[in-house]
């Protein structure tokens, strides 16, 4: 249906007004003698003797009001989806990188890397410290062995011969007392060093040196005892045998000293 516009509305009102006026005019003309003026023109029309039923004048229709323009149907606003309740999660998974590792895994790798580096550094430092301590201990052992060999060499080269060549009883007693004390101290030093060594060959060489020093000491004790007691029967023969024993023990000491030269402490 076409909706009347504002331009056609006055025209329609004029048409209806003219139509209403024409009808009123016809009614007025026919109301004077009771006959319609049209009967003289067309005899078929009802005459004056018959009353003509006048049709009621049509009521003028009320001017049509323009139908309100129907508003364009509004598109319903999209309904907002109800917020979905997500299932509770303990820990949201961390986003993974291109290699497929999460941030927690990277942190764990970094921490493990630091731990490995710390272990390596600690092990290296510990190994270096042990090596340094071992070197210092070996140096200490070498110094002690050098002191022992020097003392043994002094006993072999000077103390033994000095005691054997002394005839004065007073000088003999004094020289032997000093040599005896030196030999006893030397035995203790050799035994102490041997107990600290771990190599069996080095320990055996030092024990042989200790026995050689002890042999020299006991041989000198017997020799000096015979020489300070002239009343001993067969003193001359016993003294000659004692001198040979002292020299033999001195040779054993020299042999033991040669073995210590090959020790790698």
């Amino acid at each position: 249906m076409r909706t009347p516009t504002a331009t056609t509305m006055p025209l329609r009102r004029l048409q209806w007004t003219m139509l209403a006026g024409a009808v009123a005019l016809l009614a007025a003309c026919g109301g004077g003698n009771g006959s319609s003026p049209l009967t003289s023109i067309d005899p078929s029309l009802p005459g004056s003797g018959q009353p003509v039923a006048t049709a009621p004048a049509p009521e003028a229709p009320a001017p049509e009001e323009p139908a309100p323009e129907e508003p364009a149907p509004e598109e319903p606003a999209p309904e907002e989806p109800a917020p979905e309740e997500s299932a509770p999660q303990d820990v949201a998974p961390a986003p993974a990188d291109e290699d497929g590792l999460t941030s927690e895994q990277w942190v764990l790798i970094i921490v493990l890397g630091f731990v490995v580096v710390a272990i390596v550094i600690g092990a290296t430092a510990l190994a270096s410290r042990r090596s340094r301590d071992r070197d210092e201990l070996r140096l200490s052992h070498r110094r002690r062995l050098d002191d022992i060999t020097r003392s043994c060499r002094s006993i072999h080269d000077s103390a033994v011969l000095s005691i054997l060549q002394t005839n004065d009883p007073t000088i003999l007693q004094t020289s032997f007392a000093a040599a005896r004390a030196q030999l006893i101290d030397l035995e203790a030093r050799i035994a102490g060093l041997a107990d600290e060594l771990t190599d069996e060959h080095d320990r055996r060489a030092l024990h042989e040196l200790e026995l050689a020093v002890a042999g020299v000491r006991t041989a000198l004790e017997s020799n000096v005892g015979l020489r300070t007691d002239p009343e001993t029967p067969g003193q001359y023969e016993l003294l000659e045998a004692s001198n040979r024993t002292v020299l033999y023990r001195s040779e054993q000491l020299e042999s033991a000293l040669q073995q210590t030269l090959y020790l790698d402490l």
Side-chain angles (χ1 to χ4, degrees):
M1 178 178 179
R2 184 176 180 181
T3 304
T5 60
T7 306
T8 60
M9 287 177 62
L11 181 57
R12 287 188 176 184
R13 290 179 182 178
L14 179 60
Q15 290 175 353
W16 283 108
T17 304
M18 292 175 65
L19 180 60
V23 172
L25 179 60
L26 289 175
C29 290
N33 52 5
S35 63
S36 173
L38 297 177
T39 57
S40 61
I41 301 172
D42 191 359
S44 62
L45 294 175
S48 58
Q50 294 179 355
V52 178
T54 59
E59 297 179 357
E64 295 181 359
E65 295 180 358
E69 296 182 359
E70 296 181 358
E74 297 180 359
E75 295 182 358
E79 295 182 359
E80 296 182 359
E84 297 180 357
E85 296 183 358
S86 58
Q89 298 179 355
D90 296 339
V91 178
D97 59 4
E98 296 179 355
D99 297 334
L101 297 177
T102 61
S103 57
E104 288 80 1
Q105 291 173 335
W106 274 116
V107 171
L108 180 60
I109 291 174
I110 293 173
V111 171
L112 290 178
F114 278 117
V115 171
V116 171
V117 172
I119 292 175
V120 171
I121 293 175
T124 304
L126 181 61
S128 177
R129 181 176 180 181
R130 287 180 177 177
S131 178
R132 184 172 60 254
D133 293 343
R134 184 167 54 252
D135 293 341
E136 291 179 356
L137 183 61
R138 293 181 62 182
L139 181 60
S140 175
H141 290 166
R142 171 55 61 182
R143 289 174 178 173
R144 291 167 62 183
L145 181 61
D146 291 343
D147 292 340
I148 289 171
T149 53
R150 281 195 297 268
S151 298
C152 290
R153 181 64 59 188
S154 176
I155 293 293
H156 176 271
D157 294 344
S158 60
V160 170
L161 295 178
S162 176
I163 290 172
L164 291 178
Q165 294 174 358
T166 300
N167 294 322
D168 187 294
T170 304
I171 298 176
L172 180 62
Q173 290 290 344
T174 302
S175 299
F176 175 69
R180 185 175 181 275
Q182 185 178 2
L183 289 169
I184 293 174
D185 177 69
L186 189 56
E187 292 176 29
R189 289 159 57 192
I190 295 172
L193 179 59
D195 292 340
E196 294 180 8
L197 299 181
T198 57
D199 186 79
E200 187 62 28
H201 177 267
D202 297 341
R203 291 168 61 91
R204 183 168 57 251
L206 288 178
H207 283 306
E208 291 179 359
L209 182 61
E210 180 186 1
L211 291 176
V213 172
V216 171
R217 177 177 56 81
T218 55
L220 287 177
E221 287 176 349
S222 299
N223 186 271
V224 172
L226 290 173
R227 294 168 64 187
T228 56
D229 187 9
E231 303 297 331
T232 302
Q235 180 183 18
Y236 180 77
E237 290 81 3
L238 293 175
L239 187 57
E240 289 293 330
S242 177
N243 289 338
R244 291 192 297 269
T245 301
V246 171
L247 294 176
Y248 175 71
R249 296 299 184 187
S250 180
E251 291 176 0
Q252 288 183 331
L253 179 60
E254 175 65 23
S255 177
L257 283 174
Q258 292 300 324
Q259 294 297 325
T260 59
L261 297 177
Y262 301 98
L263 298 182
D264 186 18
L265 302 184

